[in-house]
Protein backbone atom coordinates (compact mmCIF):
# COMPACT_ATOMS: atom_id res chain seq x y z
CA UNK A 1 0.00 0.00 0.00
CA UNK A 2 0.93 3.68 -0.21
CA UNK A 3 2.97 5.76 2.23
CA UNK A 4 1.27 6.30 5.57
CA UNK A 5 -1.44 3.65 5.10
CA UNK A 6 -0.36 1.84 8.27
CA UNK A 7 1.56 -1.12 6.81
CA UNK A 8 4.35 -1.31 9.39
CA UNK A 9 1.99 -0.84 12.34
CA UNK A 10 -0.30 -3.54 10.92
CA UNK A 11 2.69 -5.92 10.60
CA UNK A 12 3.51 -5.19 14.25
CA UNK A 13 -0.07 -6.00 15.31
CA UNK A 14 -0.13 -9.22 13.27
CA UNK A 15 3.25 -10.26 14.67
CA UNK A 16 2.17 -9.58 18.27
CA UNK A 17 -1.04 -11.59 17.80
CA UNK A 18 0.93 -14.48 16.35
CA UNK A 19 3.52 -14.45 19.18
CA UNK A 20 0.78 -14.38 21.84
CA UNK A 21 -0.84 -17.44 20.25
CA UNK A 22 2.13 -19.50 19.06
CA UNK A 23 5.25 -17.99 20.62
CA UNK A 24 8.14 -16.21 18.83
CA UNK A 25 10.16 -19.18 17.53
CA UNK A 26 8.31 -19.77 14.27
CA UNK A 27 7.93 -16.13 13.16
CA UNK A 28 10.22 -13.72 11.28
CA UNK A 29 9.80 -10.19 9.97
CA UNK A 30 11.24 -8.94 6.68
CA UNK A 31 11.27 -5.43 5.22
CA UNK A 32 11.85 -4.48 1.60
CA UNK A 33 11.81 -0.81 2.59
CA UNK A 34 15.43 0.32 2.28
CA UNK A 35 14.28 3.85 1.39
CA UNK A 36 13.25 5.01 4.86
CA UNK A 37 15.44 4.29 7.88
CA UNK A 38 12.49 4.91 10.23
CA UNK A 39 10.51 2.04 8.68
CA UNK A 40 13.29 -0.45 9.41
CA UNK A 41 13.82 0.96 12.91
CA UNK A 42 10.13 0.60 13.73
CA UNK A 43 10.10 -3.01 12.50
CA UNK A 44 13.35 -3.76 14.35
CA UNK A 45 11.77 -2.41 17.55
CA UNK A 46 8.80 -4.75 17.08
CA UNK A 47 11.21 -7.64 16.50
CA UNK A 48 13.22 -6.85 19.63
CA UNK A 49 10.11 -6.55 21.83
CA UNK A 50 8.59 -9.76 20.44
CA UNK A 51 11.86 -11.70 20.29
CA UNK A 52 11.66 -12.43 16.56
CA UNK A 53 14.33 -11.92 13.87
CA UNK A 54 14.06 -8.98 11.45
CA UNK A 55 15.79 -9.07 8.04
CA UNK A 56 16.25 -6.31 5.45
CA UNK A 57 16.10 -6.92 1.71
CA UNK A 58 18.57 -4.66 -0.10
CA UNK A 59 21.22 -4.79 -2.85
CA UNK A 60 23.29 -7.24 -0.76
CA UNK A 61 20.42 -9.46 0.40
CA UNK A 62 17.85 -10.57 -2.16
CA UNK A 63 14.29 -11.41 -1.10
CA UNK A 64 14.73 -14.97 -2.31
CA UNK A 65 17.93 -15.53 -0.32
CA UNK A 66 16.38 -13.90 2.74
CA UNK A 67 13.28 -16.09 2.58
CA UNK A 68 15.40 -19.21 2.05
CA UNK A 69 17.46 -18.36 5.13
CA UNK A 70 14.20 -18.25 7.12
CA UNK A 71 12.66 -21.44 5.70
CA UNK A 72 12.38 -22.99 9.18
CA UNK A 73 9.80 -20.34 10.13
CA UNK A 74 6.09 -21.10 9.88
CA UNK A 75 5.21 -17.48 9.13
CA UNK A 76 7.20 -14.65 7.59
CA UNK A 77 5.56 -11.22 7.50
CA UNK A 78 6.94 -8.94 4.77
CA UNK A 79 6.65 -5.18 5.12
CA UNK A 80 6.98 -3.44 1.75
CA UNK A 81 8.06 0.12 1.05
CA UNK A 82 5.36 2.76 1.13
CA UNK A 83 5.71 4.45 -2.22
CA UNK A 84 3.46 6.77 -4.12
CA UNK A 85 1.89 5.42 -7.31
CA UNK A 86 4.18 7.67 -9.40
CA UNK A 87 7.42 6.59 -7.67
CA UNK A 88 9.84 4.89 -10.13
CA UNK A 89 10.95 2.49 -7.34
CA UNK A 90 7.44 1.00 -7.35
CA UNK A 91 8.32 -1.35 -10.26
CA UNK A 92 11.33 -2.59 -8.33
CA UNK A 93 9.13 -3.44 -5.32
CA UNK A 94 6.68 -5.37 -7.51
CA UNK A 95 9.39 -7.33 -9.29
CA UNK A 96 10.95 -8.24 -5.92
CA UNK A 97 7.71 -9.92 -4.84
CA UNK A 98 7.02 -11.51 -8.22
CA UNK A 99 10.46 -13.07 -8.71
CA UNK A 100 10.50 -14.81 -5.32
CA UNK A 101 10.55 -18.59 -5.68
CA UNK A 102 8.09 -19.07 -2.82
CA UNK A 103 4.41 -18.21 -2.87
CA UNK A 104 3.72 -14.85 -1.21
CA UNK A 105 0.20 -13.86 -0.19
CA UNK A 106 -0.35 -10.15 -0.91
CA UNK A 107 -2.68 -7.93 1.09
CA UNK A 108 -3.37 -4.33 0.13
CA UNK A 109 -3.41 -1.94 3.09
CA UNK A 110 -6.10 0.73 2.59
CA UNK A 111 -6.48 3.72 4.87
CA UNK A 112 -10.11 4.54 5.73
CA UNK A 113 -9.19 8.25 5.73
CA UNK A 114 -8.19 8.23 2.04
CA UNK A 115 -10.35 9.90 -0.60
CA UNK A 116 -12.21 7.77 -3.15
CA UNK A 117 -9.83 8.72 -6.02
CA UNK A 118 -6.76 7.83 -3.94
CA UNK A 119 -8.27 4.48 -2.94
CA UNK A 120 -9.22 3.70 -6.54
CA UNK A 121 -5.82 4.59 -8.03
CA UNK A 122 -4.07 2.61 -5.27
CA UNK A 123 -6.24 -0.41 -6.02
CA UNK A 124 -5.67 -0.11 -9.78
CA UNK A 125 -1.90 0.02 -9.27
CA UNK A 126 -1.73 -3.03 -7.02
CA UNK A 127 -4.45 -5.29 -8.42
CA UNK A 128 -2.40 -6.10 -11.54
CA UNK A 129 0.10 -7.86 -9.31
CA UNK A 130 -2.43 -10.21 -7.72
CA UNK A 131 -4.11 -9.50 -4.40
CA UNK A 132 -5.31 -12.04 -1.84
CA UNK A 133 -7.31 -9.43 0.05
CA UNK A 134 -7.08 -6.16 1.94
CA UNK A 135 -6.61 -4.66 5.37
CA UNK A 136 -8.54 -1.50 6.26
CA UNK A 137 -6.65 0.78 8.66
CA UNK A 138 -7.22 4.08 10.48
CA UNK A 139 -10.90 3.40 11.19
CA UNK A 140 -10.45 5.34 14.44
CA UNK A 141 -9.52 8.48 12.46
CA UNK A 142 -12.19 8.18 9.74
CA UNK A 143 -15.16 10.51 9.43
CA UNK A 144 -16.70 8.21 6.81
CA UNK A 145 -16.17 4.61 5.72
CA UNK A 146 -18.37 4.65 2.63
CA UNK A 147 -15.47 5.19 0.21
CA UNK A 148 -13.49 2.18 1.38
CA UNK A 149 -16.63 -0.01 1.54
CA UNK A 150 -17.51 0.96 -2.06
CA UNK A 151 -14.04 0.03 -3.28
CA UNK A 152 -14.09 -3.35 -1.49
CA UNK A 153 -17.63 -4.19 -2.64
CA UNK A 154 -17.22 -3.00 -6.25
CA UNK A 155 -14.05 -5.05 -6.69
CA UNK A 156 -15.07 -8.04 -4.55
CA UNK A 157 -11.85 -7.65 -2.59
CA UNK A 158 -11.72 -10.02 0.41
CA UNK A 159 -11.46 -8.17 3.73
CA UNK A 160 -8.75 -9.80 5.88
CA UNK A 161 -8.41 -7.38 8.82
CA UNK A 162 -9.76 -4.14 10.26
CA UNK A 163 -7.49 -1.82 12.23
CA UNK A 164 -8.13 1.33 14.18
CA UNK A 165 -5.86 2.78 16.83
CA UNK A 166 -2.23 2.37 17.88
CA UNK A 167 -2.63 -0.35 20.54
CA UNK A 168 -0.69 -3.46 19.63
CA UNK A 169 -2.17 -6.06 19.15
CA UNK A 170 -5.57 -4.92 20.48
CA UNK A 171 -6.55 -2.52 17.69
CA UNK A 172 -6.72 -5.24 15.03
CA UNK A 173 -9.57 -7.62 14.33
CA UNK A 174 -10.33 -10.22 11.71
CA UNK A 175 -12.03 -8.84 8.63
CA UNK A 176 -15.75 -8.75 9.21
CA UNK A 177 -17.73 -6.82 6.61
CA UNK A 178 -20.65 -6.51 9.04
CA UNK A 179 -18.43 -4.66 11.53
CA UNK A 180 -17.18 -2.37 8.76
CA UNK A 181 -20.74 -1.56 7.63
CA UNK A 182 -21.79 -0.92 11.25
CA UNK A 183 -18.85 1.47 11.65
CA UNK A 184 -19.86 3.28 8.43
CA UNK A 185 -23.45 3.70 9.71
CA UNK A 186 -22.17 4.92 13.08
CA UNK A 187 -20.00 7.55 11.35
CA UNK A 188 -22.89 8.61 9.09
CA UNK A 189 -25.17 9.05 12.11
CA UNK A 190 -22.47 11.03 13.94
CA UNK A 191 -22.00 13.34 10.93
CA UNK A 192 -25.75 13.93 10.64
CA UNK A 193 -25.98 14.72 14.37
CA UNK A 194 -23.07 17.18 14.09
CA UNK A 195 -24.73 18.92 11.13
CA UNK A 196 -28.16 19.03 12.81
CA UNK A 197 -27.46 19.31 16.56
CA UNK A 198 -31.08 20.21 17.43
CA UNK A 199 -32.31 16.80 16.22
Amino acid sequence: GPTGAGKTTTIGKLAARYVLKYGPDSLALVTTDCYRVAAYEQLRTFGRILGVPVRVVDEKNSLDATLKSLKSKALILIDTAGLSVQDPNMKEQFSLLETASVRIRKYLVLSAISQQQVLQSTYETYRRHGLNGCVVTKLDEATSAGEVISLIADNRLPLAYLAGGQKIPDDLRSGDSGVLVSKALELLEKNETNQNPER
Side-chain angles (χ1 to χ4, degrees):
T3 311
K7 295 181 301 301
T8 307
T9 303
T10 300
I11 291 266
K13 291 174 183 177
L14 288 168
R17 279 181 73 161
Y18 184 90
V19 167
L20 286 170
K21 194 168 183 180
Y22 303 106
D25 297 342
S26 57
L27 174 68
L29 305 178
V30 170
T31 181
T32 65
D33 191 348
C34 49
Y35 309 101
R36 293 179 311 127
V37 175
Y40 170 64
E41 286 304 322
Q42 187 182 359
L43 206 63
R44 199 171 75 161
T45 302
F46 288 142
R48 195 173 57 247
I49 292 167
L50 298 171
V52 300
V54 178
R55 301 282 185 271
V56 182
V57 173
D58 55 23
E59 59 280 342
K60 293 179 194 151
N61 305 291
S62 72
L63 180 60
D64 232 22
T66 302
L67 295 176
K68 281 177 185 163
S69 75
L70 297 167
K71 67 179 180 212
S72 64
K73 304 296 180 185
L75 178 66
I76 301 169
L77 296 172
I78 303 170
D79 187 21
T80 57
L83 301 169
S84 75
V85 176
Q86 293 83 20
D87 195 307
N89 293 310
M90 185 74 98
K91 276 186 182 159
E92 191 183 317
Q93 285 287 297
F94 287 135
S95 68
L96 259 181
L97 297 172
E98 285 160 10
T99 55
S101 58
V102 295
R103 188 174 64 92
I104 296 173
R105 295 178 63 81
K106 299 176 198 130
Y107 292 90
L108 180 60
V109 178
L110 298 167
S111 167
I113 61 173
S114 294
Q115 297 170 330
Q116 181 70 41
Q117 287 172 307
V118 174
L119 289 168
Q120 193 60 47
S121 79
T122 299
Y123 174 73
E124 292 302 329
T125 300
Y126 287 89
R127 79 179 171 90
R128 291 177 233 138
H129 303 278
L131 293 172
N132 295 97
C134 70
V135 176
V136 175
T137 61
K138 306 200 177 190
L139 275 169
D140 59 317
E141 298 174 37
T143 54
S144 162
E147 295 86 353
V148 79
I149 288 174
S150 294
L151 180 90
I152 291 168
D154 292 349
N155 298 288
R156 296 197 168 125
L157 190 58
L159 178 60
Y161 292 97
L162 293 170
Q166 297 296 312
K167 288 190 198 127
I168 295 174
D170 302 338
D171 293 334
L172 181 77
R173 63 186 307 158
S174 292
D176 181 335
S177 53
V179 171
L180 184 56
V181 170
S182 294
K183 179 67 177 173
L185 292 171
E186 181 190 310
L187 290 169
L188 184 64
E189 225 170 81
K190 193 175 175 182
N191 288 339
E192 284 177 357
T193 304
N194 289 343
Q195 286 170 3
N196 306 300
E198 69 281 353
R199 281 179 65 194

